[in-house]
Amino acid sequence: MAKKVEEIFICKREDRVATALRKLDENSRGIVFVVDDKEKLIGAMTDGDIRRWLIKTGNLEATVGEIMNPNPLFLLKKDSEKAERFMKKNRINAVPLLGSHGTIKDIRFLLDDE
């Protein structure tokens, strides 16, 4: 089931870890997607990524850009019907659907209870 892209799922590269943690807490999905100044997808970050970073460095002042996965998995919006199979195959719980310019148009979740 499609879910609208909300601000609680989007971070900028220069946002601090504490900002990402607040968004993760708000969205309850364990992931945020990172966009550049033109709103193009450039990364993804999970609560596990932050946990590993904090164990390693203890630095809450780090930026999202230092921690994010710079090679996030995604689908094009036109391929949205493949989302469930794609997530199961790749063992992920969320996938952003991108428009032709690389901007997030929607997010699909594997276990969507809404």
Side-chain angles (χ1 to χ4, degrees):
M1 176 176 213
K3 183 166 183 82
K4 289 186 179 215
V5 175
E6 300 173 32
E7 286 301 311
I8 59 175
F9 289 101
I10 307 296
C11 282
K12 297 280 189 175
R13 178 193 321 249
E14 59 276 357
D15 286 345
R16 299 282 177 215
V17 172
T19 300
L21 282 170
R22 279 192 297 278
K23 290 184 180 199
L24 286 166
D25 186 52
E26 286 179 56
N27 75 37
S28 301
R29 297 291 187 149
I31 192 165
V32 291
F33 297 100
V34 186
V35 298
D36 65 13
D37 292 333
K38 295 180 181 175
E39 303 299 318
K40 283 183 69 174
L41 178 69
I42 60 169
M45 188 170 57
T46 66
D47 52 359
D49 294 330
I50 295 175
R51 190 171 41 251
R52 286 184 289 278
W53 174 264
L54 290 175
I55 289 169
K56 185 176 169 184
T57 70
N59 183 4
L60 277 173
E61 292 302 312
T63 63
V64 168
E66 294 175 70
I67 302 171
M68 72 178 191
N69 169 2
N71 300 302
L73 296 175
F74 64 89
L75 285 173
L76 296 177
K77 177 92 169 145
K78 68 181 181 75
D79 296 324
S80 63
E81 74 282 348
K82 300 175 185 176
E84 184 175 352
R85 185 178 51 222
F86 181 81
M87 288 184 281
K88 286 179 179 177
K89 178 182 176 194
N90 289 287
R91 297 181 177 183
I92 58 175
N93 294 319
V95 64
L97 302 176
L98 306 185
S100 59
H101 298 291
T103 59
I104 300 173
K105 299 298 181 186
D106 202 354
I107 301 170
R108 291 284 175 97
F109 299 94
L110 188 57
L111 300 173
D112 201 344
D113 29 69
E114 296 177 353

